[in-house]
Amino acid sequence: MKIILTQEVSGLGTPGDIVEVKNGYGRNYLLPQGFAIQWTKGAEKQVAVIRRARDAREIRDLGQANEVKAQLAGLKVTLSARSGNGGRLFGSITPAEIVDAVKAAGGPSLDRRRLEMPGHIKTTGSYNVQVKLHPEVTATFPVNVVSAK
């Protein structure tokens, strides 16, 4: 089955890529979740629009990715969340909250879909979060989760 990706799918491609996948994977997962659209000649013309939008959001080149990585390395990101006894949070920390905290700490704006978290963050403490800035550059920065008073 030939499809056009509309969002980044780990291990498959980036938005605008035309890929060949097994019928079940495309029909049962990628299409219903909105990660892809069915390939047609008309849809292939939309690829240019998708790629233009991706290029506007994406970090331009390797040099810019390394600059953003350097900014993230010197950043102290602290999140406060409500917690109970023993530091257990009411809920969990989401990638969107981490992106907002990075922005509030004076860091660059990041795409929440590129964050790779160490599982679900459900307790207070310090965590290392990775962000894939470029296919060749991955930055790691510490996030400290504290109890809100």
Side-chain angles (χ1 to χ4, degrees):
M1 170 181 240
K2 215 172 186 183
I3 59 169
I4 301 170
L5 295 176
T6 56
Q7 294 183 15
E8 183 170 346
V9 178
S10 181
L12 196 56
T14 58
D17 289 348
I18 300 171
V19 294
E20 186 79 29
V21 296
K22 294 199 176 200
N23 290 337
Y25 183 53
R27 190 173 47 248
N28 297 327
Y29 178 68
L30 295 174
L31 295 176
Q33 294 292 328
F35 294 142
I37 57 175
Q38 185 81 34
W39 178 87
T40 61
K41 288 185 181 182
E44 191 168 357
K45 293 176 184 173
Q46 291 179 330
V47 171
V49 175
I50 293 170
R51 285 194 177 143
R52 237 181 291 131
R54 179 184 66 187
D55 291 341
R57 285 195 314 267
E58 193 174 273
I59 293 178
R60 298 285 177 235
D61 59 359
L62 189 61
Q64 186 181 5
N66 285 327
E67 289 174 14
V68 172
K69 182 178 179 179
Q71 286 178 349
L72 288 173
L75 209 57
K76 301 283 187 218
V77 179
T78 303
L79 276 165
S80 63
R82 291 184 45 209
S83 66
N85 294 338
R88 186 165 171 80
L89 301 181
F90 298 131
S92 64
I93 302 295
T94 64
E97 291 174 328
I98 292 175
V99 168
D100 292 340
V102 168
K103 190 91 167 150
S109 61
L110 300 172
D111 187 2
R112 65 176 171 76
R113 294 173 291 221
R114 295 186 179 267
L115 286 181
E116 296 174 6
M117 297 176 25
H120 297 286
I121 298 176
K122 292 188 174 204
T123 58
T124 58
S126 184
Y127 298 90
N128 287 325
V129 176
Q130 289 186 340
V131 61
K132 192 170 185 180
L133 300 169
H134 190 268
E136 301 168 13
V137 179
T138 302
T140 303
F141 60 95
V143 173
N144 191 22
V145 179
V146 295
S147 178
K149 300 293 178 197

